[in-house]
Amino acid sequence: MRLKLVYIYSFVVTLLYLFTACTDGIEASSDSNDQGEGKEIPVSIMPKLVAGDENEVLQLRVIIFSTRTSNPYGPKVLVSNRLIDINEDYVAITYIGYNDIYVIGNEPVDLSGINSPEDLKSIRMNTESSLGASKFVFFRQLLNVNVRSKNEIYQEGASVPVSKLEIKLQRVIAKLSVKFDLSTEIYENGNPTGEYVNLESMELLNIPKYSYLIPGKYKIEEGGLDNRVFSLENSSTELNHFTWSSGDIYLPEYLPMDEIYRMVLRIKGTSRGITRIYTLPIGDAMNSIDSHSTEWNITRNRHYSLNIKAITGYGEESLEMKSSVSGWSEINVPIEIMGAGFLAVNKKTVEVKSLRFFSYVRFACNDLVEAKLPDGVTFGNQLQMTIEYDDANKKSGRIGFRRGNWNTGSDIMYVTTLKSGTASVKLNLHLYKTEFSHMFLPTTWAEAMGYPEEANRAYAGMYNDELYQKAERETGCRAYYPEGVSPDDMIKGKGCWRLATIRENWAISVVPAAWSIEEYGDGQAYLGGSGQYIGNALKSTNSYISYYCVLDVRPPELSDFVVSDEDITGIMRDDASKICSSLGSEWRLPTGIEMNYVFLNAGTNGLPNNFFSDSYWGKNGDTFIVATMGDPDGSETTDELRNQKHTVRCVKSRYSN
């Protein structure tokens, strides 16, 4: 399943963003409620584009009930109940009308026999088996979704339509973390008593035996689990100080019918041979501001956190603590109500800077994509193009453009029209004026290109990475950069310049003949100069033929490093580097800069898109760091994080010999 890490940085040049774009070819809005009711309409479900964390979704079921009429109170009938392949997009059929949509990840039981919403309400799960599960159950329901046409979808209670549905899946459980960091001395009214408590254990009480797929009240007569007991082991080295962290404790959703049976945490200790018990209730009311609740519910997909700071008495709630209730990360499954034509792109202007490399635009569509240039402009010498689909379904991908070799280097703006079915989008292709170097003395064609001598006898093309790797020294345009510019500059440094084309030499050269990047054959290359096309010559000629370099910016698709194929999860710090060294001598843990780059550009720039985890090991020199969605370069890594398990993804230089 292709999980994409999503955060505020928008390394989401992903299709979740694309579906916000407006497109041509959409149906007109219904003027009356019954117009088109009962009409079939396709629903595209894209599980492979979900964004989430380390919890893997192994299977995804989508169940849709529809009125098939404009009556919101009409009976809803089952129109779709399918288990979806998580590696492929899926298109179901629903109807214009009011729809209930249920999405279940990692279904707890076989739901293929569900025929009505009432059937779903009766699904309950065994709490004991789910609390330690590594593959949690995810669920979300959207009720009374009024579909009038493509791009006119009203969610329940909303007066403004949306063009797509984003269903954020939530775990059907919650999690609790408890942290102790306190003096073991008892204080009363702010004054020390000289009495110390030896903290020994904590236990959770009133854990329900079952929980439900659709949230529901729990009756105590349905039974409960045995108390969960945790031994408290002091990790502090300070005298009379106690520190301990529980890690994540998973809790079932618990909506008690009677507050008497709310879930509580009982902390035990002894002082002077006397048992001291401190009781803390667990639930939304721990922090009513964050949870917006004064009830003691345990609500799914929430994180309950307790930080115990002081002992303020001899029992019950005599503890000073900081508590919080926050949301747990969600997994997003986009659902698109499609019409006859759909096409969206992530940008409308493309800077086509390179003759050697494509500049890309991401797209999503529901039919094959084609591009049409303005009259008089052709694909070939004026412009090059490639279309790359993500998979065999051809519903998403990227289209790339690069400069043609017959452009003279003036500022040019081409407007091309992308089409997919009846939908179309115009793209502005900006070709920049070429910047030239000074003239260089005669040399062979291979040296001017920056290739080894063997390139004088072989066809290389506009750019040949294999030949670049074989060169034992940097020569010609490969080695050139202007005076006053750093060789590592990403805009004008080494590697950004290339040999001029025939037409560029024709436009600028004042010498009788200059090498051109184009080749006549394996052993010959073209010449240009003095305002004309000269002809061709043997590449090995090293007299009378000079050359010019022109700026051809390296696009971001060429990251300086490559990433290993898959996540290796659950790795402690001492084993992280070993994972990479086992792949070969060049593989290593990424630096903070590299990890930040991956978080920003996953799925583009030559990087893979199958990052499943929320946290990854990295290393700056001898210092281990952990990259997370909130701290992508690992600069805020704590010792607590370093002592936990994280995922390993290794890197190596793209251009290593």
Side-chain angles (χ1 to χ4, degrees):
M1 184 175 196
R2 281 176 55 197
L3 291 179
K4 185 83 171 90
L5 298 172
V6 173
Y7 196 62
I8 59 174
Y9 302 97
S10 269
F11 40 86
V12 256
V13 184
T14 71
L15 302 183
L16 298 184
Y17 168 79
L18 298 181
F19 285 108
T20 62
C22 294
T23 64
D24 298 330
I26 63 176
E27 295 89 342
S29 169
S30 304
D31 291 327
S32 61
N33 285 339
D34 60 353
Q35 181 176 338
E37 66 181 32
K39 175 184 175 183
E40 289 186 355
I41 191 164
V43 178
S44 177
I45 301 160
M46 288 151 289
K48 70 177 181 180
L49 296 178
V50 299
D53 61 3
E54 74 279 3
N55 303 127
E56 187 175 353
V57 176
L58 296 179
Q59 57 183 1
L60 193 73
R61 184 176 292 278
V62 177
I63 303 174
I64 304 175
F65 301 96
S66 177
T67 62
R68 303 177 65 171
T69 71
S70 58
N71 178 9
Y73 307 105
K76 293 188 176 76
V77 297
L78 179 68
V79 297
S80 182
N81 181 352
R82 294 290 298 272
L83 194 63
I84 297 174
D85 186 339
I86 58 175
N87 295 310
E88 297 180 3
D89 295 347
Y90 173 71
V91 177
I93 296 294
T94 189
Y95 293 85
I96 290 178
Y98 284 83
N99 295 266
D100 292 345
I101 302 174
Y102 300 86
V103 183
I104 306 101
N106 302 338
E107 58 185 10
V109 296
D110 183 5
L111 301 177
S112 60
I114 294 295
N115 291 306
S116 69
E118 287 68 30
D119 294 339
L120 280 170
K121 292 179 182 178
S122 64
I123 302 298
R124 68 180 186 179
M125 295 159 289
N126 184 296
T127 296
E128 193 165 21
S129 62
S130 67
L131 292 184
S134 59
K135 303 296 182 288
F136 301 122
V137 177
F138 292 84
F139 176 77
R140 199 57 179 262
Q141 63 181 3
L142 268 67
L143 302 178
N144 290 326
V145 177
N146 184 5
V147 178
R148 296 186 184 179
S149 69
K150 171 185 161 36
N151 284 1
E152 193 178 12
I153 308 163
Y154 293 83
Q155 299 192 57
E156 186 175 29
S159 58
V160 178
V162 296
S163 60
K164 65 184 176 72
L165 298 174
E166 288 189 4
I167 297 186
K168 296 183 181 294
L169 296 186
Q170 297 182 336
R171 299 164 193 79
V172 299
I173 64 171
K175 68 177 176 180
L176 166 70
S177 57
V178 183
K179 183 177 181 180
F180 292 80
D181 185 9
L182 73 165
S183 167
T184 58
E185 185 174 9
I186 298 174
Y187 280 70
E188 280 195 308
N189 299 320
N191 300 313
T193 63
E195 184 175 340
Y196 296 86
V197 176
N198 180 30
L199 297 171
E200 298 173 345
S201 67
M202 71 177 190
E203 59 181 333
L204 278 168
L205 291 71
N206 299 335
I207 305 171
K209 192 173 184 179
Y210 303 104
S211 57
Y212 296 90
L213 185 63
I214 296 179
K217 291 285 186 178
Y218 190 81
K219 300 175 183 176
I220 194 63
E221 55 265 28
E222 294 185 71
L225 299 181
D226 294 336
N227 297 345
R228 296 183 67 188
V229 180
F230 304 84
S231 296
L232 300 180
E233 298 179 0
N234 189 7
S235 57
S236 175
T237 58
E238 301 177 42
L239 182 64
N240 297 326
H241 197 87
F242 186 87
T243 59
W244 184 79
S245 179
S246 69
D248 290 338
I249 302 171
Y250 300 116
L251 308 175
E253 181 172 61
Y254 182 30
L255 312 179
M257 296 194 73
D258 191 330
E259 192 173 300
I260 296 174
Y261 298 104
R262 63 188 179 184
M263 196 178 298
V264 296
L265 185 68
R266 180 184 292 164
I267 300 169
K268 293 183 180 180
T270 58
S271 64
R272 295 185 300 175
I274 301 172
T275 298
R276 305 294 184 188
I277 298 177
Y278 303 91
T279 303
L280 302 175
I282 306 296
D284 292 337
M286 283 168 43
N287 190 330
S288 59
I289 296 176
D290 290 343
S291 64
H292 306 289
S293 175
T294 57
E295 297 183 355
W296 289 100
N297 294 327
I298 302 292
T299 304
R300 66 181 58 193
N301 210 69
R302 281 188 175 164
H303 181 193
Y304 300 90
S305 178
L306 286 173
N307 191 354
I308 300 170
K309 307 295 293 182
I311 304 172
T312 58
Y314 289 92
E316 291 307 314
E317 299 180 16
S318 302
L319 293 174
E320 178 184 316
M321 65 178 182
K322 179 181 179 182
S323 63
S324 67
V325 181
S326 58
W328 201 351
S329 60
E330 299 173 314
I331 287 184
N332 194 357
V333 177
I335 292 184
E336 178 70 19
I337 308 294
M338 300 193 305
F342 176 79
L343 178 63
V345 295
N346 69 315
K347 56 185 176 182
K348 295 292 185 69
T349 298
V350 187
E351 296 183 353
V352 184
K353 297 181 177 180
S354 178
L355 177 75
R356 298 180 294 172
F357 307 108
F358 289 103
S359 297
Y360 289 95
V361 174
R362 294 286 300 170
F363 64 80
C365 58
N366 64 345
D367 204 345
L368 295 179
V369 169
E370 58 180 285
K372 182 181 182 301
L373 287 171
D375 292 341
V377 180
T378 59
F379 288 115
N381 287 343
Q382 290 175 303
L383 197 67
Q384 299 284 338
M385 182 193 74
T386 182
I387 297 178
E388 302 169 9
Y389 292 100
D390 289 333
D391 51 41
N393 291 317
K394 298 187 177 180
K395 301 297 183 184
S396 62
R398 63 180 188 171
I399 182 169
F401 300 93
R402 69 184 187 196
R403 183 189 296 270
N405 65 322
W406 214 241
N407 292 309
T408 59
S410 303
D411 280 330
I412 301 171
M413 182 71 78
Y414 292 142
V415 178
T416 182
T417 301
L418 299 188
K419 298 190 68 177
S420 176
T422 60
S424 64
V425 174
K426 292 187 182 300
L427 290 181
N428 299 312
L429 308 181
H430 192 178
L431 282 67
Y432 288 87
K433 183 177 180 180
T434 304
E435 184 174 335
F436 296 90
S437 70
H438 57 272
M439 183 186 68
F440 291 94
L441 296 176
T443 187
T444 68
W445 181 86
E447 285 201 344
M449 287 286 291
Y451 290 143
E453 192 273 335
E454 68 181 78
N456 286 329
R457 301 182 300 276
Y459 186 85
M462 297 293 183
Y463 174 80
N464 190 306
D465 186 63
E466 183 179 355
L467 287 171
Y468 263 50
Q469 303 311 310
K470 290 183 177 181
E472 296 181 354
R473 59 193 181 96
E474 294 177 337
T475 63
C477 296
R478 178 184 184 179
Y480 174 73
Y481 58 95
E483 184 178 351
V485 173
S486 167
D488 298 321
D489 187 277
M490 290 298 292
I491 304 299
K492 293 188 176 183
K494 286 197 295 186
C496 297
W497 297 77
R498 61 163 171 81
L499 197 61
T501 66
I502 298 171
R503 193 63 178 265
E504 287 165 340
N505 277 324
W506 181 342
I508 65 158
S509 181
V510 295
V511 297
W515 286 121
S516 300
I517 197 171
E518 296 96 335
E519 294 161 281
Y520 180 79
D522 289 350
Q524 298 186 66
Y526 285 106
L527 306 175
S530 299
Q532 60 181 317
Y533 159 60
I534 303 299
N536 54 279
L538 289 173
K539 293 179 180 178
S540 57
T541 303
N542 61 4
S543 62
Y544 83 85
I545 304 177
S546 303
Y547 68 96
Y548 289 87
C549 299
V550 299
L551 188 63
D552 191 40
V553 178
R554 286 183 298 180
E557 283 78 8
L558 287 183
S559 62
D560 289 332
F561 59 92
V562 295
V563 183
S564 56
D565 293 334
E566 59 184 15
D567 287 344
I568 307 298
T569 59
I571 304 300
M572 295 298 290
R573 174 178 53 190
D574 293 344
D575 295 322
S577 295
K578 299 175 186 176
I579 298 293
C580 296
S581 60
S582 68
L583 299 178
S585 59
E586 296 180 345
W587 291 96
R588 56 178 173 77
L589 289 174
T591 65
I593 293 175
E594 289 167 335
M595 291 192 298
N596 183 65
Y597 185 83
V598 169
F599 269 71
L600 287 168
N601 298 286
T604 64
N605 300 9
L607 299 171
N609 192 31
N610 58 339
F611 298 95
F612 297 109
S613 296
D614 274 348
S615 58
Y616 288 86
W617 283 113
K619 204 172 184 183
N620 284 338
D622 295 328
T623 303
F624 284 92
I625 53 179
V626 178
T628 65
M629 290 192 293
D631 179 28
D633 64 359
S635 59
E636 299 176 10
T637 303
T638 62
D639 288 339
E640 183 178 1
L641 274 176
R642 291 187 179 95
N643 291 326
Q644 297 174 9
K645 293 180 179 180
H646 305 287
T647 297
V648 167
R649 206 61 179 266
C650 308
V651 301
K652 69 176 181 178
S653 172
R654 184 181 295 275
Y655 302 109
S656 58
N657 293 320

